[in-house]
Amino acid sequence: MVALSVFLLLSLSQQQSLEGGNQDIGKTISFQAHSYNDMRLWTQIFRKGVDHIKIDPNFRPASECAQQIHVYNKSDERGCFILNHDNPTEDVHRIDYNTTDELFTILKNSSHPLNHFFTQKNKRISVALCFKNIPVAVCLPSKEAKNWLSLVDELVATYLQVIQSNPDLNVEFILDSGVPEACFVQRWRPLVSTSSPFKEAFDSNDKALGYDRWQVMNPSWKTMAEEYAAQKWGKFVNSTYAFQIWEPCNQEDLLSASELYVNVGIKHDPGLKFAINIDVAMAEVYVSNISTRGLNSLLEANAYNVASVIVSTEAGENLLLYLHCTDENPHDVFYSFREVAQNTSSVQRGQLPQWAGGCNITLSKSGSYVLAHSNKSTALYKLAGTHLNFIQNISLETNVSSMSVKLAENAQAVFFSVAIDNDNDIRIEEYVLEAGGLSLVQMWQIKTTFVLRAPAFAAFSSSNTSWGMLVMAESESNTSLVGAYLHFEEGKLTINGQLFNSTMIYSLPVLDVGNDVSITTVVSATSPEEIYFLESHANGFCQNNEKRNKQAGVSSCEQERSSSFGPLIYSIASLTQWKSFFMNSGAKLSSCDPEILHGTFSQGNAPCISGYINNSQLSIVVTHSMYTGDDPNVCGMPLLTGPSSGFTVDNWNVNLNVEN
């Protein structure tokens, strides 16, 4: 299976490189956030680069609207529009759906936390209104049809009044879901639509007949492939609106549709937007071989225990350094340097010198130093171009159940060990490597209420007396992950903002579900105070997919989390944002958090996250084993699947200039 999948993925990528002129077309591919009706998700989707969203104004009767806490006029006999794709039922419903009333509050109130996303001068936000529960006989003069029409009239009139009264707003409403019908094709101008009841409108903009209302080409993937591509996009080739395709989630469909769009050979400047229920990062990774904005590539077809980190060469080039073992050489560890770019191979390969610690390795770096650690050995190396020069082995106490050892970013010779000792305490040790050898600077033992295993951490150090650390570990009793932010300065250690007390038993917050945690720090080369912590783990909770975005019984941000096989999770934030997060009692990692970017970027296992800053872009790089499941939760099936001995590398970017 892996050979076929790799062939498909590489053949698509290579085809684009052969048709060099079409690469510019691939760069216009992006995404519409589909059925993101829980407004608590919006901060993150806008920060992830989305400028098109689709919401579902769901027409509900007055009796239901009177019970809704976010409906402003609960006595309106016409009813209301809640925001939800699936219809509520007597057995499956809520009283806290977001509503169109709240949307206008966001647009009218300049102090609303979401308002500034709709007032960006260089980015217009498109809001597609995909109406749900439209009366069946909407063209007949029934009371229900009249109520629905009246509510839509009011919604459009309010929108037009709001944007007219506030010229700073840069937002456009678009009619979706078969609206307008033939019986009111001239209604609700100047709003354009994603469809038309008239086939002739595919090639004509006749205003008298209402054909001009259809300006957004929005087919299913099947219709695009079978009809629209053969017609070279009809009139839409000259449209000022992006093409849209709904709602692929599997990588094979996303790549096939992208390939078709590119190979028509017509550059459409507004681009193609996939209407996605999955996370933006996953969609970015899955189309990266055509969009060229990232990377999704086979790293090693036959490897295990891959550890990786981004290193910078003297020339300022960012390379991926990774270690791995093979079935053919189970006792030898190999290192490779690889460019983080399309269609590249390793620039240097070699055997890790003077290493006898086995293959279960973690890797960290600081400046030109690289530290390799396993439960049997710890060794320090120095980068010399694209080679690793051995410096020395480091002896540490290993009488613990599990331990992680890493260099502290920003410091040349400061490193930490974080262990779960035999008393189930978290033991943290700080070391300094000096000319005379290794010196233990300080040691702390943190008692917790959990039985923990597999600690993971990353640290930065501005001096020997000041450092910060993000720590996470697995709870042995379930699949939950707990964590803390530790800060040491002026001789004092704080844990989640609380002064450390050696006699206290700490109840660390449960952050998420899953296992195989990887954490790293990224520090700006030009602004050393600009520090980011990146976290990834496996077998997490796939918060956004078609079923979970559309369901009526529970909102996206209130779902009960459960671990499932496959989803690879990321959490990304600045040092300041992580501190704020841990000060918020009860906070959990979620796509609803306004500070920490969180979601699912692929499926597989054994992730190892790293990254670098390039201008205003934070580039995230993750190596991980291939997915071996069949995506029962419809989270988004990757194309690179196969035996767990296969490893891939994924890369996507986050714009650091987008404010919360």
Side-chain angles (χ1 to χ4, degrees), residues 414 430 432 441-442 461-468 487-492:
V414 176
E430 179 188 4
V432 175
V441 179
Q442 297 179 90
S461 177
S462 52
S463 70
N464 290 351
T465 59
S466 177
W467 52 263
H487 189 79
F488 183 81
E489 194 159 7
E490 296 181 352
K492 296 178 180 179

Side-chain angles (χ1 to χ4, degrees), residues 30-257:
S30 57
F31 312 100
Q32 177 201 58
H34 188 274
S35 290
Y36 275 62
N37 292 299
D38 190 328
M39 290 178 173
R40 290 169 290 183
L41 294 164
W42 287 11
T43 295
Q44 284 208 29
I45 62 171
F46 290 139
R47 288 180 61 204
K48 293 173 183 177
V50 166
D51 57 12
H52 281 53
I53 60 174
K54 194 218 74 169
I55 58 176
D56 300 290
N58 194 315
F59 176 50
R60 309 312 303 167
S63 59
E64 291 184 26
C65 298
Q67 307 301 317
Q68 291 296 318
I69 61 177
H70 296 306
V71 168
Y72 294 170
N73 183 4
K74 293 179 173 56
S75 61
D76 193 332
E77 294 182 353
R78 297 172 300 171
C80 65
F81 288 125
I82 64 168
L83 300 184
N84 209 75
H85 185 284
D86 293 352
N87 290 328
T89 66
E90 184 176 350
D91 297 326
V92 181
H93 62 274
R94 310 183 341 244
I95 63 169
D96 61 348
Y97 298 104
N98 288 122
T99 66
T100 51
D101 293 339
E102 292 176 292
L103 176 57
F104 287 120
T105 295
I106 293 170
L107 298 180
K108 292 177 181 179
N109 184 358
S110 61
S111 63
H112 193 284
L114 289 169
N115 178 269
H116 71 280
F117 291 114
F118 295 91
T119 57
Q120 301 172 88
K121 291 182 180 180
N122 299 320
K123 179 179 284 189
R124 169 164 286 199
I125 300 299
S126 169
V127 181
L129 306 171
C130 194
F131 293 97
K132 295 296 184 292
N133 199 35
I134 301 172
V136 175
V138 72
C139 289
L140 298 178
S142 66
K143 181 179 180 180
E144 186 181 36
K146 288 180 179 179
N147 287 341
W148 183 83
L149 284 169
S150 177
L151 286 170
V152 179
D153 285 345
E154 183 177 86
L155 186 155
V156 174
T158 303
Y159 159 70
L160 294 175
Q161 184 274 323
V162 167
I163 61 171
Q164 185 176 13
S165 63
N166 185 358
D168 290 334
L169 285 171
N170 196 6
V171 57
E172 180 174 9
F173 283 12
I174 291 175
L175 301 172
D176 204 332
S177 195
V179 176
E181 293 274 3
C183 56
F184 41 84
V185 73
Q186 302 292 356
R187 204 162 183 151
W188 306 314
R189 286 187 180 276
L191 274 64
V192 301
S193 177
T194 64
S195 62
S196 173
F198 310 108
K199 287 187 176 181
E200 295 82 359
F202 185 80
D203 293 300
S204 172
N205 278 322
D206 191 312
K207 185 174 182 179
L209 296 175
Y211 296 171
D212 64 319
R213 305 301 300 280
W214 188 14
Q215 289 299 313
V216 181
M217 190 184 73
N218 184 39
S220 66
W221 157 227
K222 181 178 180 181
T223 301
M224 177 193 179
E226 295 180 355
E227 299 180 29
Y228 292 177
Q231 299 180 64
K232 302 289 186 180
W233 314 134
K235 72 177 184 183
F236 300 99
V237 72
N238 297 313
S239 174
T240 59
Y241 295 88
F243 302 162
Q244 293 176 183
I245 299 176
W246 50 271
E247 304 162 37
C249 67
N250 294 334
Q251 186 177 16
E252 185 171 2
D253 292 338
L254 286 161
L255 280 174
S256 296

Side-chain angles (χ1 to χ4, degrees), residues 16 267 359 375 395 456 458 507:
Q16 300 317 312
K267 186 180 180 185
C359 288
N375 59 359
S395 178
S507 180

Side-chain angles (χ1 to χ4, degrees), residues 371 373 378 380 392 394-400 403-409 411-419 427-434 437-444 457 459 461 463-467 469:
L371 188 77
H373 168 74
T378 303
L380 188 65
Q392 68 180 87
I394 296 171
S395 178
L396 297 171
E397 180 185 348
T398 57
N399 186 27
V400 291
M403 179 171 66
S404 178
V405 180
K406 283 189 172 183
L407 284 163
E409 187 69 64
Q412 288 294 310
V414 176
F415 66 95
F416 294 87
S417 72
V418 175
R427 190 174 72 194
I428 298 173
E429 296 177 338
E430 179 188 4
Y431 295 89
V432 175
L433 192 62
E434 300 171 326
L438 188 66
S439 297
L440 175 63
V441 179
Q442 297 179 90
M443 188 270 285
W444 298 267
F457 78 98
S461 177
S463 70
N464 290 351
T465 59
S466 177
W467 52 263
M469 179 187 296

